[in-house]
């Protein structure tokens, strides 16, 4: 196995001066090689090679990740004593849980993902019951929430920086799925479209926090290790889903 694919640029052994802001950010961005866009299951998904039940399984398992993101972000806020930062971070919760009358575009990302589920043929009850969520996916997602609960809010902010690489993965879905998976109602892809500008905004904030927090080489190297933890978490979720939903899964076990 090419382990280089799965490792960010290894932290420099010498803990002398911190890297420049530019070099630090370049090293964070170099972690893209471990992003789940490169996972074989995601590559098959975005090449249109998966069967409907496998797409439904991915949507149902990723739904658990989506519904836990606001809990993770609330944990970040609970550890943050800076009102100005909380005023920015709270937007992430509302982006997922919804705003105002919760109608239309105010419904929030969790509702939009529910609609993706319905567009693939999953009933809302099957989605919200989480009965298709595999143990390894639940474990990985819960590890993310617990990381945010137990670490300084700045470290949890850094762990969200995998979204540096998310606009491309959303764009791939929007570009390919309508022709690759014509059986998925187009309205269901709205989540991916809505997430791109929000991810860009959140990454801008997350990078500000990372640059302000990582004033030493040790913290910069810690930031890379945190990003690798989150990359591994996303990667392992696809490992679990790929293993649980093989092409020849018996009909009665298919979502
Ligand atoms: O839909 C995604 C989302 O709302 C978030 C929040 C952010 C975080 O706080 O960790 N990360 C994230 C991600 C979302 N979608 C993933 C995908 O592949 O659709 C990507 C994921 C991320 O890159 O961390």
């Amino acid at each position: 196995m090419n382990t280089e694919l799965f490792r960010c640029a290894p932290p420099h052994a010498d803990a002398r001066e911190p890297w420049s802001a530019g070099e630090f950010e370049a090293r964070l961005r170099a972690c893209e090689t471990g992003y789940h866009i490169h996972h074989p299951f995601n590559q098959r998904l975005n090449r249109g090679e998966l069967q409907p039940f496998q797409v439904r399984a991915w949507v149902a398992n990723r739904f658990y990740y989506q519904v836990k993101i606001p809990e993770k972000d609330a944990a970040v806020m609970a550890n943050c004593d800076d009102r100005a930062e909380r005023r920015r971070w709270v937007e992430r919760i509302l982006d997922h849980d919804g705003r105002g009358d919760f109608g239309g575009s105010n419904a929030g990302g969790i509702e939009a993902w529910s609609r993706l589920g319905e567009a693939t043929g999953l009933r809302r009850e099957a989605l919200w019951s989480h009965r298709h969520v595999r143990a390894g996916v639940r474990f990985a997602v819960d590890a993310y929430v617990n990381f945010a609960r137990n670490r300084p809010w700045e470290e949890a902010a850094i762990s969200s920086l995998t979204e540096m690489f998310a606009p491309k993965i959303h764009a791939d879905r929007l570009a390919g799925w309508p022709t690759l998976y014509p059986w998925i109602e187009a309205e269901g892809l709205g989540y991916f479209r809505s997430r791109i500008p929000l991810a860009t905004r959140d990454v801008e904030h997350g990078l500000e926090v990372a640059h302000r927090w990582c004033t030493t080489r040790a913290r910069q190297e810690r930031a890379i290790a945190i990003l690798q933890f989150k990359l591994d978490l996303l990667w392992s979720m696809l490992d679990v889903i790929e293993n649980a939903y093989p092409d020849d899964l018996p009909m009665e076990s298919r979502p």
Side-chain angles (χ1 to χ4, degrees):
M1 163 105 50
N2 173 7
T3 53
E4 276 313 302
L5 177 65
F6 298 93
R7 307 304 305 167
C8 301
H12 195 287
D14 180 347
R16 288 172 304 159
E17 284 304 301
W19 295 311
S20 70
E23 179 169 0
F24 174 44
E25 188 161 323
R27 286 173 179 260
L28 289 171
R29 292 188 182 278
C31 293
E32 190 279 342
T33 53
Y35 193 52
H36 64 178
I37 196 170
H38 302 294
H39 191 288
F41 187 86
N42 183 73
Q43 292 183 328
R44 291 188 63 205
L45 177 63
N46 283 354
R47 284 198 301 257
E49 296 172 7
L50 296 183
Q51 298 171 62
F53 81 90
Q54 292 168 309
V55 178
R56 283 191 285 273
W58 177 83
V59 171
N61 278 268
R62 268 294 309 277
F63 185 66
Y64 186 72
Y65 177 83
Q66 299 301 141
V67 297
K68 286 296 183 181
I69 288 290
E71 292 180 40
K72 180 272 295 186
D73 289 325
V76 174
M77 290 186 63
N79 291 329
C80 177
D81 62 357
D82 182 325
R83 183 176 65 163
E85 292 291 1
R86 291 199 304 268
R87 280 173 167 173
R88 292 176 73 180
W89 206 270
V90 70
E91 293 302 314
R92 295 176 184 232
I93 297 177
L94 300 177
D95 289 342
H96 287 89
D97 284 344
R99 290 177 169 81
D101 63 359
F102 306 111
S105 61
N106 284 331
I110 290 171
E111 184 58 34
W113 198 277
S114 297
R115 290 181 191 152
L116 170 62
E118 290 175 297
T120 64
L122 285 165
R123 290 199 323 279
R124 285 181 75 93
E125 179 278 333
L127 208 60
W128 285 90
S129 66
H130 300 314
R131 69 164 171 271
H132 295 302
V133 176
R134 313 301 293 197
V137 169
R138 194 186 311 273
F139 180 79
V141 174
D142 291 351
Y144 188 25
V145 177
N146 288 329
F147 179 83
R149 286 184 179 136
N150 299 316
R151 297 303 304 165
W153 79 271
E154 293 90 346
E155 288 200 350
I158 287 165
S159 69
S160 74
L161 285 176
T162 43
E163 271 205 303
M164 290 187 288
F165 319 122
K168 172 77 169 61
I169 206 169
H170 293 312
D172 287 352
R173 295 161 185 157
L174 289 167
W177 286 26
T179 47
L180 297 171
Y181 301 112
W183 53 271
I184 299 178
E185 290 164 35
E187 192 263 345
L189 305 185
Y191 179 83
F192 305 136
R193 193 170 298 108
S194 68
R195 190 68 210 160
I196 292 175
L198 299 176
T200 303
R201 178 205 66 193
D202 290 350
V203 165
E204 196 176 303
H205 185 195
L207 284 172
E208 280 177 35
V209 175
H211 282 297
R212 190 171 61 234
W213 176 252
C214 299
T215 52
T216 64
R217 172 68 66 85
R219 278 196 175 172
Q220 289 175 329
E221 292 177 352
R222 170 72 179 153
I224 288 177
I226 289 167
L227 197 54
Q228 187 59 55
F229 155 75
K230 175 65 177 316
L231 290 167
D232 291 346
L233 187 152
L234 293 172
W235 192 274
S236 64
M237 285 168 63
L238 290 184
D239 283 344
V240 170
I241 297 167
E242 180 181 54
N243 179 62
Y245 297 97
D247 295 348
D248 60 354
L249 189 71
M251 295 300 281
E252 63 274 15
S253 303
R254 297 181 177 190

